[in-house]
């Protein structure tokens, strides 16, 4: 299981940037889940893109990076 595997990784000093696509749910609870699972990680602001807008989101993603 992915969650079990992630809990075994040492994220100290690592940076995580959360990116997700969706069709209406937004980020949901993903940032909180990542914070609970990836102990020691530096969690940066997350970004979500509606799936139907993925192909027109290039500049949005580039600015986020």
């Amino acid at each position: 299981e992915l969650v079990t595997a992630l809990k075994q990784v040492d994220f100290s000093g690592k940076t995580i940037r959360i990116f997700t696509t969706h069709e209406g749910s937004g980020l949901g609870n993903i940032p909180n889940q990542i914070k609970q699972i990836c102990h020691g990680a530096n969690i940066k602001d997350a970004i979500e893109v509606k799936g139907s807008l993925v192909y027109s989101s290039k500049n949005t993603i580039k600015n986020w990076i």
Side-chain angles (χ1 to χ4, degrees):
E1 179 179 322
L2 179 60
V3 172
T4 301
L6 288 174
K7 285 182 178 180
Q8 296 174 8
V9 175
D10 180 10
F11 285 97
S12 300
K14 305 293 183 196
T15 298
I16 296 176
R17 299 193 67 157
I18 302 165
F19 172 86
T20 187
T21 59
H22 65 89
E23 277 306 324
S25 61
L27 286 168
N29 197 34
I30 293 172
N32 289 330
Q33 292 172 332
I34 295 293
K35 288 175 186 174
Q36 290 175 358
I37 296 168
C38 302
H39 298 285
N42 177 19
I43 314 270
K44 297 289 189 178
D45 289 337
I47 189 170
E48 49 84 18
V49 175
K50 190 169 182 179
S52 60
L53 300 175
V54 166
Y55 293 109
S56 62
S57 298
K58 183 176 180 177
N59 287 334
T60 300
I61 301 301
K62 285 174 77 173
N63 291 332
W64 173 71
I65 293 173

